[in-house]
PDB file of all heavy atoms in Angstrom:
ATOM      1  N   ASN A 101      -2.132 -11.172 -20.000  1.00  0.00           N
ATOM      2  CA  ASN A 101      -3.199 -11.355 -20.933  1.00  0.00           C
ATOM      3  C   ASN A 101      -3.714 -10.111 -21.543  1.00  0.00           C
ATOM      4  O   ASN A 101      -3.747  -9.908 -22.732  1.00  0.00           O
ATOM      5  CB  ASN A 101      -4.317 -12.121 -20.104  1.00  0.00           C
ATOM      6  CG  ASN A 101      -5.627 -12.455 -21.041  1.00  0.00           C
ATOM      7  OD1 ASN A 101      -5.365 -12.969 -22.092  1.00  0.00           O
ATOM      8  ND2 ASN A 101      -6.713 -12.147 -20.450  1.00  0.00           N
ATOM      9  N   LEU A 102      -3.989  -9.062 -20.677  1.00  0.00           N
ATOM     10  CA  LEU A 102      -4.444  -7.781 -21.183  1.00  0.00           C
ATOM     11  C   LEU A 102      -3.399  -7.147 -21.893  1.00  0.00           C
ATOM     12  O   LEU A 102      -3.681  -6.491 -22.919  1.00  0.00           O
ATOM     13  CB  LEU A 102      -5.021  -7.034 -19.987  1.00  0.00           C
ATOM     14  CG  LEU A 102      -5.545  -5.588 -20.446  1.00  0.00           C
ATOM     15  CD1 LEU A 102      -6.847  -5.762 -21.138  1.00  0.00           C
ATOM     16  CD2 LEU A 102      -5.739  -4.709 -19.184  1.00  0.00           C
ATOM     17  N   VAL A 103      -2.149  -7.288 -21.453  1.00  0.00           N
ATOM     18  CA  VAL A 103      -0.992  -6.492 -22.137  1.00  0.00           C
ATOM     19  C   VAL A 103      -0.926  -7.033 -23.617  1.00  0.00           C
ATOM     20  O   VAL A 103      -0.908  -6.187 -24.537  1.00  0.00           O
ATOM     21  CB  VAL A 103       0.360  -6.768 -21.424  1.00  0.00           C
ATOM     22  CG1 VAL A 103       1.440  -6.316 -22.377  1.00  0.00           C
ATOM     23  CG2 VAL A 103       0.321  -6.188 -20.088  1.00  0.00           C
ATOM     24  N   LEU A 104      -1.069  -8.267 -23.766  1.00  0.00           N
ATOM     25  CA  LEU A 104      -1.019  -8.874 -25.196  1.00  0.00           C
ATOM     26  C   LEU A 104      -2.198  -8.393 -25.901  1.00  0.00           C
ATOM     27  O   LEU A 104      -2.158  -8.052 -27.206  1.00  0.00           O
ATOM     28  CB  LEU A 104      -0.928 -10.379 -25.196  1.00  0.00           C
ATOM     29  CG  LEU A 104       0.268 -10.929 -24.576  1.00  0.00           C
ATOM     30  CD1 LEU A 104       0.290 -12.489 -24.559  1.00  0.00           C
ATOM     31  CD2 LEU A 104       1.501 -10.481 -25.465  1.00  0.00           C
ATOM     32  N   GLN A 105      -3.382  -8.257 -25.319  1.00  0.00           N
ATOM     33  CA  GLN A 105      -4.547  -7.824 -26.144  1.00  0.00           C
ATOM     34  C   GLN A 105      -4.256  -6.317 -26.485  1.00  0.00           C
ATOM     35  O   GLN A 105      -4.743  -5.962 -27.621  1.00  0.00           O
ATOM     36  CB  GLN A 105      -5.855  -7.878 -25.232  1.00  0.00           C
ATOM     37  CG  GLN A 105      -6.255  -9.250 -25.016  1.00  0.00           C
ATOM     38  CD  GLN A 105      -7.420  -9.392 -24.100  1.00  0.00           C
ATOM     39  OE1 GLN A 105      -8.139  -8.455 -23.872  1.00  0.00           O
ATOM     40  NE2 GLN A 105      -7.932 -10.614 -23.886  1.00  0.00           N
ATOM     41  N   VAL A 106      -3.818  -5.491 -25.701  1.00  0.00           N
ATOM     42  CA  VAL A 106      -3.570  -4.048 -25.944  1.00  0.00           C
ATOM     43  C   VAL A 106      -2.507  -3.977 -27.048  1.00  0.00           C
ATOM     44  O   VAL A 106      -2.671  -3.154 -28.068  1.00  0.00           O
ATOM     45  CB  VAL A 106      -3.171  -3.328 -24.741  1.00  0.00           C
ATOM     46  CG1 VAL A 106      -2.767  -1.875 -25.065  1.00  0.00           C
ATOM     47  CG2 VAL A 106      -4.316  -3.257 -23.760  1.00  0.00           C
ATOM     48  N   LEU A 107      -1.434  -4.857 -27.023  1.00  0.00           N
ATOM     49  CA  LEU A 107      -0.470  -4.828 -28.046  1.00  0.00           C
ATOM     50  C   LEU A 107      -0.963  -5.117 -29.405  1.00  0.00           C
ATOM     51  O   LEU A 107      -0.366  -4.808 -30.490  1.00  0.00           O
ATOM     52  CB  LEU A 107       0.771  -5.682 -27.644  1.00  0.00           C
ATOM     53  CG  LEU A 107       1.609  -5.140 -26.491  1.00  0.00           C
ATOM     54  CD1 LEU A 107       2.739  -6.214 -26.152  1.00  0.00           C
ATOM     55  CD2 LEU A 107       2.281  -3.869 -26.810  1.00  0.00           C
ATOM     56  N   GLU A 108      -2.037  -5.916 -29.455  1.00  0.00           N
ATOM     57  CA  GLU A 108      -2.609  -6.219 -30.817  1.00  0.00           C
ATOM     58  C   GLU A 108      -3.338  -4.985 -31.364  1.00  0.00           C
ATOM     59  O   GLU A 108      -3.580  -4.908 -32.578  1.00  0.00           O
ATOM     60  CB  GLU A 108      -3.644  -7.264 -30.688  1.00  0.00           C
ATOM     61  CG  GLU A 108      -3.001  -8.721 -30.575  1.00  0.00           C
ATOM     62  CD  GLU A 108      -3.945  -9.869 -30.751  1.00  0.00           C
ATOM     63  OE1 GLU A 108      -5.077  -9.801 -30.189  1.00  0.00           O
ATOM     64  OE2 GLU A 108      -3.689 -10.863 -31.289  1.00  0.00           O
ATOM     65  N   MET A 109      -3.717  -3.994 -30.564  1.00  0.00           N
ATOM     66  CA  MET A 109      -4.450  -2.877 -30.991  1.00  0.00           C
ATOM     67  C   MET A 109      -3.516  -1.658 -31.224  1.00  0.00           C
ATOM     68  O   MET A 109      -3.840  -0.860 -32.155  1.00  0.00           O
ATOM     69  CB  MET A 109      -5.431  -2.440 -29.970  1.00  0.00           C
ATOM     70  CG  MET A 109      -6.578  -3.476 -29.684  1.00  0.00           C
ATOM     71  SD  MET A 109      -7.713  -2.864 -28.520  1.00  0.00           S
ATOM     72  CE  MET A 109      -8.601  -1.590 -29.419  1.00  0.00           C
ATOM     73  N   THR A 110      -2.377  -1.488 -30.520  1.00  0.00           N
ATOM     74  CA  THR A 110      -1.593  -0.387 -30.626  1.00  0.00           C
ATOM     75  C   THR A 110      -0.195  -0.657 -30.263  1.00  0.00           C
ATOM     76  O   THR A 110       0.067  -1.501 -29.361  1.00  0.00           O
ATOM     77  CB  THR A 110      -2.079   0.888 -29.843  1.00  0.00           C
ATOM     78  OG1 THR A 110      -1.075   1.866 -29.779  1.00  0.00           O
ATOM     79  CG2 THR A 110      -2.442   0.423 -28.373  1.00  0.00           C
ATOM     80  N   ASP A 111       0.818   0.006 -30.876  1.00  0.00           N
ATOM     81  CA  ASP A 111       2.217  -0.270 -30.431  1.00  0.00           C
ATOM     82  C   ASP A 111       2.733   0.808 -29.517  1.00  0.00           C
ATOM     83  O   ASP A 111       3.779   0.804 -29.113  1.00  0.00           O
ATOM     84  CB  ASP A 111       3.112  -0.481 -31.724  1.00  0.00           C
ATOM     85  CG  ASP A 111       3.060   0.828 -32.634  1.00  0.00           C
ATOM     86  OD1 ASP A 111       2.309   1.824 -32.302  1.00  0.00           O
ATOM     87  OD2 ASP A 111       3.803   0.720 -33.645  1.00  0.00           O
ATOM     88  N   ARG A 112       1.806   1.805 -29.373  1.00  0.00           N
ATOM     89  CA  ARG A 112       2.282   2.980 -28.542  1.00  0.00           C
ATOM     90  C   ARG A 112       2.011   2.642 -26.995  1.00  0.00           C
ATOM     91  O   ARG A 112       1.101   3.248 -26.400  1.00  0.00           O
ATOM     92  CB  ARG A 112       1.652   4.226 -28.982  1.00  0.00           C
ATOM     93  CG  ARG A 112       1.839   4.476 -30.596  1.00  0.00           C
ATOM     94  CD  ARG A 112       1.307   5.789 -30.909  1.00  0.00           C
ATOM     95  NE  ARG A 112       2.071   6.873 -30.324  1.00  0.00           N
ATOM     96  CZ  ARG A 112       3.163   7.335 -30.601  1.00  0.00           C
ATOM     97  NH1 ARG A 112       3.799   6.796 -31.577  1.00  0.00           N
ATOM     98  NH2 ARG A 112       3.729   8.420 -29.968  1.00  0.00           N
ATOM     99  N   VAL A 113       2.728   1.662 -26.538  1.00  0.00           N
ATOM    100  CA  VAL A 113       2.381   1.158 -25.177  1.00  0.00           C
ATOM    101  C   VAL A 113       3.694   1.213 -24.196  1.00  0.00           C
ATOM    102  O   VAL A 113       4.788   1.009 -24.718  1.00  0.00           O
ATOM    103  CB  VAL A 113       2.003  -0.308 -25.261  1.00  0.00           C
ATOM    104  CG1 VAL A 113       1.826  -0.955 -23.939  1.00  0.00           C
ATOM    105  CG2 VAL A 113       0.597  -0.350 -26.084  1.00  0.00           C
ATOM    106  N   ILE A 114       3.384   1.535 -23.084  1.00  0.00           N
ATOM    107  CA  ILE A 114       4.370   1.445 -21.967  1.00  0.00           C
ATOM    108  C   ILE A 114       3.832   0.417 -20.958  1.00  0.00           C
ATOM    109  O   ILE A 114       2.702   0.686 -20.537  1.00  0.00           O
ATOM    110  CB  ILE A 114       4.790   2.784 -21.344  1.00  0.00           C
ATOM    111  CG1 ILE A 114       5.278   3.659 -22.300  1.00  0.00           C
ATOM    112  CG2 ILE A 114       5.728   2.603 -20.178  1.00  0.00           C
ATOM    113  CD1 ILE A 114       5.461   5.118 -21.761  1.00  0.00           C
ATOM    114  N   VAL A 115       4.581  -0.536 -20.524  1.00  0.00           N
ATOM    115  CA  VAL A 115       4.058  -1.472 -19.523  1.00  0.00           C
ATOM    116  C   VAL A 115       4.683  -0.945 -18.152  1.00  0.00           C
ATOM    117  O   VAL A 115       5.921  -0.932 -18.088  1.00  0.00           O
ATOM    118  CB  VAL A 115       4.463  -2.937 -19.784  1.00  0.00           C
ATOM    119  CG1 VAL A 115       4.017  -3.881 -18.597  1.00  0.00           C
ATOM    120  CG2 VAL A 115       3.774  -3.361 -21.135  1.00  0.00           C
ATOM    121  N   ALA A 116       3.829  -0.489 -17.269  1.00  0.00           N
ATOM    122  CA  ALA A 116       4.294  -0.147 -15.944  1.00  0.00           C
ATOM    123  C   ALA A 116       4.091  -1.210 -15.006  1.00  0.00           C
ATOM    124  O   ALA A 116       2.900  -1.686 -14.764  1.00  0.00           O
ATOM    125  CB  ALA A 116       3.515   1.151 -15.538  1.00  0.00           C
ATOM    126  N   ILE A 117       5.183  -1.796 -14.458  1.00  0.00           N
ATOM    127  CA  ILE A 117       4.969  -2.951 -13.423  1.00  0.00           C
ATOM    128  C   ILE A 117       4.933  -2.333 -12.033  1.00  0.00           C
ATOM    129  O   ILE A 117       5.862  -1.876 -11.496  1.00  0.00           O
ATOM    130  CB  ILE A 117       6.193  -3.805 -13.559  1.00  0.00           C
ATOM    131  CG1 ILE A 117       6.290  -4.333 -14.988  1.00  0.00           C
ATOM    132  CG2 ILE A 117       5.948  -5.039 -12.601  1.00  0.00           C
ATOM    133  CD1 ILE A 117       7.033  -5.563 -15.185  1.00  0.00           C
ATOM    134  N   ASN A 118       3.619  -2.215 -11.604  1.00  0.00           N
ATOM    135  CA  ASN A 118       3.386  -1.551 -10.270  1.00  0.00           C
ATOM    136  C   ASN A 118       3.441  -2.556  -9.158  1.00  0.00           C
ATOM    137  O   ASN A 118       3.534  -3.816  -9.377  1.00  0.00           O
ATOM    138  CB  ASN A 118       2.047  -0.820 -10.384  1.00  0.00           C
ATOM    139  CG  ASN A 118       1.946   0.113  -9.246  1.00  0.00           C
ATOM    140  OD1 ASN A 118       2.870   0.749  -8.754  1.00  0.00           O
ATOM    141  ND2 ASN A 118       0.665   0.321  -8.738  1.00  0.00           N
ATOM    142  N   LEU A 119       3.303  -2.019  -7.971  1.00  0.00           N
ATOM    143  CA  LEU A 119       3.328  -2.896  -6.760  1.00  0.00           C
ATOM    144  C   LEU A 119       4.664  -3.693  -6.663  1.00  0.00           C
ATOM    145  O   LEU A 119       4.725  -4.793  -6.130  1.00  0.00           O
ATOM    146  CB  LEU A 119       2.210  -3.949  -6.678  1.00  0.00           C
ATOM    147  CG  LEU A 119       0.751  -3.090  -6.649  1.00  0.00           C
ATOM    148  CD1 LEU A 119      -0.107  -3.633  -7.692  1.00  0.00           C
ATOM    149  CD2 LEU A 119       0.185  -3.440  -5.284  1.00  0.00           C
TER     150      LEU A 119
END
Side-chain angles (χ1 to χ4, degrees):
Chain A
N101 182 45
L102 181 70
V103 172
L104 291 177
Q105 290 182 5
V106 173
L107 287 177
E108 280 190 323
M109 293 182 72
T110 168
D111 59 359
R112 307 187 62 81
V113 173
I114 299 172
V115 177
I117 304 198
N118 195 34
L119 295 128

